[in-house]
Amino acid sequence: MTEKLASLTFSDGTPKADFPVMSGTMGADVVDIRPLYGKTGKFTYDPGFISTASCLSKITYIDGDAGILMYRGYPIEELAEHCDFLEVAYLILNGELPNKKQKHEFDNLVAHHTMVHEQLARFYSGFRRDAHPMAVLCGVIGALSAFYHDALDINDPRHRDISAFRLIAKVPTITAMSYKYNVGQPFIYPRNDLSYAANFLNMMFAVPCEKYEPNPVLVRALDRILILHADHEQNASTSTVRLAGSSGANPFACMAAGVASLWGPAHGGANEAVLKMLAEIGDVSNIGKYIARVKDRQDHSMLYGFGHRVYKNYDPRAKLIQRTCHEVLEEVGLKDDKLFKLALALEKIALEDDYFIKRKLYPNVDFYSGIVYKALGIPVSLFTAIFAVARTVGWIAQWNEMISDPDQKIGRPRQLYVGPGKRAFVPMDERK
Ligand code: CMC
């Protein structure tokens, strides 16, 4: 087969240069511009990485125009329908769905690492009671490297595996502890007899003085939401994890970096922003006014939960969450939930509006997830932390993939310098 090439010509006399074009299993080809600087003395300019593939990956595939998402080749719809979260986590980490024995062993492995070092609990008292859970997660997840440094050799695959299941097991515990600290209730230890999602709900809502039985419909809903958020290829937080990890930093520090990036309202923080936006709109009759503000460029309002860098079609996760939303609201007796009705009406109006049609802005994963969380009894400030619980799997799998890649190099973008040229130093008493 002849090698595909891309040729770059210049109007400034720089000789033409050819670059190999690489093809993946699916999706757009990429031009390998690594030799660009050597051949031409020039860099590329791509703020926001709009046209840049930063790595090869075998984990997640998105076709943004068609609204398709697959983990390891399996469509998200089938995984959400047939698997539980740990089955999907195994798939994302190992590349294949587990057989019965592997699944049983993996469930056990995770369940037996859900407790955190007792001393870690003391970190919480250093935070204000009203600390945002994401602030707590940034600190406490980073602090794990001070507790679990027995397996921090990133070049040892076994150590990487140990850190992976420690993180997957402990992040829900740390998240639930941040909630308990907020509300002033005692921390609830994990229960190994419960599923991943049921254990999380138990750590959130059980209290020592009463028996708590997680509702299976709500457990399934949370589990599905975790599946839908588990990975999403090279999004901002995952790229942050990879970039942090490219210097050889330990995985716990890298995950803390991922949490920090996820927190922003353009990324994982959007689920919290959606609920605040819906509360601000308040009633279907105010939607028109809000949409007008969004379209007014001076106003800086956004339609949170809408739009995506990659999806130029309905986000497949949003469709699945909308269905989950119906199931959960029915179960908790909120079939006529005002917020859900408002969200449905807002979606309908936005999808018929020229502004959103022209820009191909559709609901994303965050548009309906907050309504489900709210119905589960999860406070708004904890929404993004739940996203972090799920995405920990993607972050650690992508980090591991990067470390194992022989082409891996420290991430180090270049720049186009537009500051002052060289100038003479002015001593302080001569400065104006
Ligand atoms: N409301 C109003 N206008 C929007 C929105 C929105 N939610 N999203 C994009 N636009 C406009 C944007 O202003 C731009 O308009 P123009 O061409 O006139 O300048 C156009 O649509 C293209 O948008 P962009 O900013 O170039 O798109 P991007 O790929 O850089 O940003 C995004 C993607 C997700 C950051 C953005 O759509 C956004 O901020 N959405 C709201 C926040 C949100 O819901 N984030 C969750 C993303 S999905 C979950 C996750 O992975 O974290």
Side-chain angles (χ1 to χ4, degrees):
M1 203 175 79
T2 47
E3 191 190 11
K4 274 194 270 181
L5 287 177
S7 300
L8 199 54
T9 55
F10 300 86
S11 58
D12 64 357
T14 308
K16 171 177 157 270
D18 291 331
F19 301 94
V21 176
M22 301 160 68
S23 298
T25 323
M26 297 181 271
D29 286 350
V30 305
V31 181
D32 179 359
I33 49 122
R34 281 175 295 177
L36 179 71
Y37 183 61
K39 281 186 176 180
T40 68
K42 298 182 197 311
F43 300 125
T44 55
Y45 179 62
D46 186 17
F49 306 115
I50 287 169
S51 299
T52 298
S54 61
C55 60
L56 303 183
S57 182
K58 294 179 179 166
I59 301 175
T60 292
Y61 174 73
I62 304 171
D63 180 335
D65 293 320
I68 290 170
L69 167 63
M70 299 178 199
Y71 299 155
R72 302 281 190 184
Y74 293 105
I76 190 69
E77 292 79 3
E78 289 179 40
L79 296 172
E81 179 73 28
H82 302 297
C83 297
D84 72 13
F85 176 68
L86 285 184
E87 201 174 343
V88 171
Y90 184 99
L91 170 71
I92 289 175
L93 290 172
N94 300 298
E96 297 298 335
L97 285 165
N99 60 29
K100 259 195 193 141
K101 183 169 172 278
Q102 289 164 330
K103 173 68 167 55
H104 182 69
E105 284 168 3
F106 188 63
D107 284 357
N108 259 323
L109 190 67
V110 172
H112 285 90
H113 287 83
T114 45
M115 272 173 56
V116 291
H117 193 292
E118 197 61 19
Q119 211 172 317
L120 207 78
R122 297 204 205 146
F123 271 71
Y124 288 79
S125 50
F127 288 100
R128 281 171 52 139
R129 282 280 172 195
D130 60 355
H132 193 285
M134 288 298 277
V136 176
L137 252 58
C138 282
V140 180
I141 292 178
L144 290 176
S145 45
F147 287 84
Y148 301 103
H149 42 68
D150 55 327
L152 282 186
D153 178 359
I154 62 162
N155 296 313
D156 181 339
R158 177 72 194 138
H159 279 204
R160 296 204 297 271
D161 282 350
I162 293 171
S163 295
F165 61 69
R166 275 182 171 156
L167 274 156
I168 293 167
K170 294 180 200 306
V171 171
T173 312
I174 290 168
T175 303
M177 286 167 80
S178 74
Y179 169 67
K180 288 301 200 191
Y181 184 71
N182 277 167
V183 293
Q185 290 178 4
F187 298 140
I188 298 294
Y189 285 106
R191 266 179 56 189
N192 292 355
D193 60 317
L194 294 177
S195 73
Y196 193 82
N199 175 50
F200 180 69
L201 290 177
N202 187 63
M203 290 189 293
M204 286 282 297
F205 301 121
V207 283
C209 44
E210 255 174 42
K211 204 167 151 49
Y212 172 81
E213 279 307 327
N215 173 328
V217 175
L218 306 189
V219 168
R220 180 67 190 125
L222 178 62
D223 196 70
R224 189 172 293 144
I225 287 201
L226 295 178
I227 292 173
L228 300 179
H229 285 83
D231 192 51
H232 213 231
E233 50 119 310
Q234 308 313 318
N235 55 83
S237 58
T238 303
S239 297
T240 302
V241 168
R242 280 187 178 254
L243 196 57
S246 75
S247 70
N250 76 68
F252 302 111
C254 297
M255 297 307 121
V259 171
S261 170
L262 185 74
W263 193 358
H267 192 8
N271 51 20
E272 184 174 338
V274 168
L275 258 267
K276 288 184 176 153
M277 173 186 75
L278 291 175
E280 189 187 329
I281 297 173
D283 189 80
V284 176
S285 60
N286 298 326
I287 291 177
K289 262 189 279 169
Y290 189 80
I291 298 257
R293 276 178 51 198
V294 168
K295 295 196 298 196
D296 172 6
R297 312 311 300 228
Q298 310 306 318
D299 190 89
H300 302 295
S301 294
M302 297 289 281
L303 190 53
Y304 287 102
F306 253 71
H308 198 274
R309 169 64 59 76
V310 184
Y311 294 118
K312 300 302 165 199
N313 200 328
Y314 215 101
D315 180 336
R317 302 168 300 173
K319 270 190 204 148
L320 294 161
I321 293 190
Q322 203 198 83
R323 220 176 63 203
T324 302
C325 220
H326 280 291
E327 289 164 16
V328 167
L329 293 175
E330 176 99 39
E331 178 67 18
V332 298
L334 285 174
K335 224 167 55 188
D336 293 319
D337 182 53
K338 202 172 162 222
L339 227 46
F340 186 43
K341 287 203 161 146
L342 182 59
L344 287 170
L346 180 57
E347 176 193 332
K348 188 166 181 300
I349 292 171
L351 289 180
E352 286 166 0
D353 190 296
D354 221 36
Y355 174 95
F356 297 91
I357 295 171
K358 221 172 77 199
R359 291 171 177 77
K360 298 190 176 165
L361 301 171
Y362 291 86
N364 61 49
V365 69
D366 290 320
F367 195 66
Y368 289 106
S369 59
I371 298 172
V372 178
Y373 296 144
K374 194 163 171 285
L376 296 179
I378 293 167
V380 177
S381 64
L382 211 83
F383 289 3
T384 312
I386 313 265
F387 193 153
V389 168
R391 189 55 59 84
T392 296
V393 169
W395 289 335
I396 194 71
Q398 298 264 357
W399 171 84
N400 204 355
E401 184 178 66
M402 179 193 68
I403 303 290
S404 328
D405 182 347
D407 275 350
Q408 189 264 326
K409 279 185 177 311
I410 186 165
R412 201 330 181 166
R414 303 305 294 254
Q415 63 170 13
L416 181 64
Y417 176 72
V418 293
K422 187 176 178 194
R423 45 186 174 160
F425 177 77
V426 183
M428 189 177 281
D429 43 8
E430 290 174 28
R431 290 175 214 158
K432 288 186 203 130

